[in-house]
Amino acid sequence: MKEIYYFDNAATTPLHPQVLSVVTDTLTTIYGNPGSLHSVGRKAKQVLVEARASIAEHIGAHPEEIIFTSGACEGNSLAIKGYMEHHRDTVLITTPIEHASIAALCRQQSDSVRYAPVDWHGFVDLDRLHDLCRKEYLEGTGHLLVSIQAANNEIGTIQNLKEIAGIVHQYKGIFHTDATQLFPYEALDVKKLGIDMLSMSGQKINAPKGIGFLYVREGISLTPFNYGSQMEGRRGGTENIPYIAGLAKAVQLLDYNNVSMSRMQDYLISRLRRWEDDFIINGSFVHRLPNNLSISFRNIEGEALAMLLDCKGICVSTASACSTGSPEASHVLQAIHVPEEYINGTIRISLPRDITRRDIDYFTNTLHTCLIQLRHLTRYEDADA
Ligand code: PMP
């Protein structure tokens, strides 16, 4: 038995040993400011240039189209707010299931935001998206920006990025996607997919927390919120060279063979079905992340379940780590209409790459025991009331 079963990889991932070694080597040997002209600065600049080129190549972009950020919250904010501030007449079309960083920004800009609904699998309604884009194109007076996530962090549904980009471009819009959750599992070529801006976060691909990048297609102007000369004036602040080098290494190490993880996910579901028949698996069955399972149990307190599992060494989330602590039910689960008696009984299990059948056996056995315990307690409380 392991001490910890970490099944919360959608929240964050542990550092890869090779990434750690790049970060520590760079921290100890490359201390220069990449903006300095002397040899020490030039060495730092070289690391920066190489990291930028290697990441750009990975997504089919040019190096100058990559802006290093502190992660995807910043990338999302810079892409959307930066675009809307630069083009004050922008209308933003998005979905009701975006990450908290975008949802909060949209609430702030509410007059300029339109929502394309999602179905109960979490797929954006493409006809409605089409209608909204056309309406803004024909009747609107300004710029059109569409921001739709690549894969959902709570339910794992993967959107059809190419089709969405096609619709947006038909109406001369700009397409931004928050690719944080899909990036670890699918190779994304921004030019082939028609993505104009893409944000991601290193912490989901075994790089450190506090580093990520935003891809911005050449020709798109953003108003920065950090002023300075770095990143061609689009994101001021001396670059975090060790983390940038670590991020580039993590990107190089990405392995898109998801077959065994996906099988383990299916195995988990089949084990669960042996004992349980009263649960819902949220999101799509067809286009979903290979390791992100959102399960809702009827009349169960998801937080209590997650805490009981934690006592047995199993780490899972209730909805997403970013919305933990919010008294309201998840906006994603509400948008896909998870029934009331199930919505609070939701846990998100995001498996690691090296997951084994034994791990799943331990997990499902423990989950079964915890569910029995909780149902027992509820019955007891009901009898007391
Ligand atoms: N977008 C999505 C879809 C995410 O899952 C996350 C991380 N939970 C973020 C954005 C934010 O990433 P970070 O906290 O590293 O900025």
Side-chain angles (χ1 to χ4, degrees), residues 44-320:
K45 177 82 184 244
Q46 193 184 337
V47 175
L48 175 63
V49 167
E50 283 171 9
R52 221 173 171 190
S54 133
I55 290 174
E57 192 186 346
H58 188 87
I59 60 164
H62 302 299
E64 318 73 56
E65 294 176 316
I66 305 294
I67 301 175
F68 289 109
T69 61
S70 62
C73 284
E74 185 188 331
N76 290 339
S77 307
L78 180 56
I80 298 175
K81 205 164 181 187
Y83 189 86
M84 293 178 89
E85 278 194 10
H86 198 86
H87 307 280
R88 297 243 167 201
D89 52 4
T90 301
V91 163
L92 170 68
I93 298 177
T94 187
T95 77
I97 61 166
E98 298 300 308
H99 181 258
S101 54
I102 293 183
L105 181 50
C106 290
R107 282 195 296 276
Q108 197 199 56
Q109 309 277 336
S110 57
D111 287 349
S112 317
V113 180
R114 318 276 179 267
Y115 291 91
V118 293
D119 65 16
W120 61 284
H121 292 299
F123 290 117
V124 61
D125 181 333
L126 294 178
D127 291 334
R128 291 291 302 281
L129 176 67
H130 200 277
D131 291 347
L132 283 168
C133 288
R134 189 176 46 210
K135 186 169 186 301
E136 287 312 320
Y137 180 69
L138 295 176
E139 297 170 18
T141 50
H143 290 76
L144 173 64
L145 174 64
V146 175
S147 180
I148 295 178
Q149 64 195 176
N152 186 268
N153 45 308
E154 291 189 35
I155 57 171
T157 298
I158 301 175
Q159 304 291 344
N160 188 335
L161 297 178
K162 201 167 178 180
E163 213 170 332
I164 294 173
I167 297 172
V168 177
H169 292 157
Q170 196 180 334
Y171 297 104
K172 310 275 180 266
I174 296 289
F175 176 41
H176 164 256
T177 188
D178 173 358
T180 308
Q181 293 290 339
L182 188 57
F183 204 88
Y185 307 107
E186 214 171 287
L188 298 171
D189 184 308
V190 287
K191 307 284 175 201
K192 285 188 187 149
L193 290 167
I195 297 167
D196 300 306
M197 294 197 274
L198 173 150
S199 16
M200 69 77 74
S201 176
Q203 60 159 321
K204 317 288 178 175
I205 59 164
N206 309 98
K209 288 155 229 350
I211 189 72
F213 72 83
L214 170 67
Y215 154 77
V216 183
R217 183 174 52 71
E218 197 189 345
I220 297 177
S221 300
L222 305 176
T223 297
F225 31 81
N226 271 17
Y227 288 89
S229 57
Q230 292 84 4
M231 299 284 118
E232 294 79 32
R234 292 170 296 176
R235 201 262 190 180
T238 304
E239 296 88 347
N240 185 343
I241 299 296
Y243 275 25
I244 288 173
L247 178 68
K249 183 70 189 176
V251 170
Q252 280 166 18
L253 289 169
L254 280 171
D255 161 18
Y256 298 119
N257 184 352
N258 304 318
V259 176
S260 95
M261 227 175 2
S262 211
R263 278 201 191 125
M264 286 299 143
Q265 186 156 266
D266 293 345
Y267 177 60
L268 192 160
I269 298 171
S270 70
R271 292 263 311 170
L272 197 57
R273 288 218 159 102
R274 286 189 195 177
W275 306 296
E276 290 287 327
D277 50 12
D278 204 359
F279 63 89
I280 299 172
I281 296 176
N282 301 307
S284 164
F285 264 100
V286 190
H287 297 292
R288 68 176 307 127
L289 293 173
N291 73 330
N292 186 320
L293 260 189
S294 165
I295 308 182
S296 301
F297 298 97
R298 192 164 68 92
N299 294 336
I300 287 285
E301 197 50 62
E303 278 188 15
L305 179 57
M307 278 163 73
L308 273 184
L309 289 168
D310 189 31
C311 295
K312 311 276 183 195
I314 297 169
C315 305
V316 298
S317 278
T318 42
S320 75

Side-chain angles (χ1 to χ4, degrees), residues 338-355:
V338 174
E340 210 177 305
E341 64 277 26
Y342 289 87
I343 203 162
N344 288 325
T346 306
I347 55 169
R348 179 189 65 183
I349 305 147
S350 43
L351 302 174
R353 269 198 188 276
D354 59 359
I355 183 81

